[in-house]
Amino acid sequence: MRVKSVPRHVACVMDGNGRWAAQRSLPRTEGHRAAEAAVIDVIEAACTAGVEWLSLYAFSTENWRRPAAEVDVLLRLVRRAVRKHALSLHTRGIRCRFLGVTDPRIPPPLARDIADLMALTRDNRRMTLTVAFDHGGRRDIVEAARSLIRDGVPPEQVTEESFARRLPHPDMPEVDLVIRTSGEQRISNFMLWQVAYAEWVFPRVLWPDFRAGHFWECLEIYRRRDRRFGATPAPAPTGKGRR
């Protein structure tokens, strides 16, 4: 794949863990456990492909509504993954950041491990991995608006650029490609501002079965897309004037 055709920022909605478990007559939590292998495979594939920014949707603000036992398992799995892979991610030169992580229900030990991981990797530049955890796109937009209001910014001075600077991690580029596994075609409140002009791919494979090969297939689909950003395509050469 040509380097210039690789999306700078890829985001993944990791969907299908529950269905993966149900197909095997397993508890939903086993699907979440199986998802870890896919995460590591995709991170490695993104690095190899030359993706600069990779964002993974791990836990939404709406996910707190799930049964308490399932939420507890998810929180413990995230903490285990953070502790297990921190050194490896750092060694690979990956900067790790989290989007969200504001709810008081997040256990303090997990919050500390997340903070430690971000501090450990903050100077890495090979790729930035953003984990959207306790994330909601609408909440981010509301908080950005509140920030402008608190600072007394006149309405006529509010632009898309000034608004974007109030969002979490304002240095994050807009998303080029969103991959949502399992075949579902919903945005699910994910990075609503950043995905405004993203290309979307919906592979039917469930997330626990998603591997590097599937990721490369999505990159190839992206490469074949004609991104216009609302403009009309350039007219094809007519050949007039040629000899």
Side-chain angles (χ1 to χ4, degrees):
M1 184 176 294
R2 296 170 299 167
V3 173
K4 67 179 181 180
S5 68
V6 174
R8 184 184 183 197
H9 187 176
V10 178
C12 297
V13 180
M14 304 182 292
D15 196 13
N17 295 349
R19 276 165 284 170
W20 183 92
Q23 288 176 1
R24 292 158 178 78
S25 300
L26 297 171
R28 284 178 55 86
T29 52
E30 291 306 306
H32 299 314
R33 295 182 195 277
E36 181 180 338
V39 169
I40 300 306
D41 222 42
V42 166
I43 291 172
E44 190 60 37
C47 281
T48 301
V51 173
E52 297 178 32
W53 296 73
L54 176 67
S55 298
L56 304 178
Y57 201 8
F59 191 86
S60 73
T61 50
E62 293 78 19
N63 286 156
W64 291 107
R65 303 171 187 167
R66 293 185 176 185
E70 182 178 350
V71 170
D72 182 63
V73 169
L74 280 165
L75 295 174
R76 286 191 282 112
L77 288 174
V78 170
R79 188 181 185 210
R80 187 189 72 174
V82 167
R83 296 172 68 88
K84 178 180 176 181
H85 298 289
L87 186 57
S88 175
L89 292 167
H90 180 50
T91 302
R92 285 176 167 80
I94 298 172
R95 176 173 59 165
C96 299
R97 301 201 300 194
F98 283 73
L99 182 63
V101 199
T102 62
D103 196 287
R105 287 171 288 187
I106 295 174
L110 173 57
R112 286 195 298 270
D113 287 339
I114 288 173
D116 289 345
L117 175 62
M118 291 192 292
L120 174 67
T121 63
R122 64 187 172 194
D123 295 326
N124 295 338
R125 290 297 179 268
R126 182 183 179 190
M127 185 178 78
T128 297
L129 170 65
T130 303
V131 179
F133 183 79
D134 178 37
H135 162 69
R138 285 181 173 180
R139 182 178 66 184
D140 287 351
I141 290 173
V142 169
E143 288 301 321
R146 286 174 174 169
S147 174
L148 289 165
I149 294 169
R150 282 195 298 267
D151 290 347
V153 179
E156 62 275 9
Q157 293 183 16
V158 177
T159 64
E160 291 187 11
E161 292 74 18
S162 65
F163 188 91
R165 288 194 293 270
R166 302 290 178 134
L167 293 168
H169 304 314
D171 61 328
M172 177 188 293
E174 292 189 358
V175 178
D176 298 301
L177 170 64
V178 181
I179 301 169
R180 179 167 188 149
T181 55
S182 85
E184 296 291 341
Q185 300 183 15
R186 297 188 300 274
I187 298 176
S188 296
N189 200 20
F190 180 47
M191 299 177 71
L192 297 179
W193 183 274
Q194 296 89 340
V195 304
Y197 279 100
E199 297 294 322
W200 288 73
V201 178
F202 301 101
R204 298 195 64 83
V205 61
L206 303 178
W207 179 258
D209 292 327
F210 195 78
R211 291 295 182 270
H214 299 108
F215 185 83
W216 282 93
E217 289 173 4
C218 293
L219 296 190
E220 177 59 23
I221 293 172
Y222 171 86
R223 186 188 68 80
R224 298 196 301 265
R225 298 274 179 90
D226 180 17
R227 303 188 75 199
R228 302 176 187 174
F229 299 96
T232 56
T238 63
K240 292 182 179 179
R242 294 182 182 177
R243 297 184 179 183

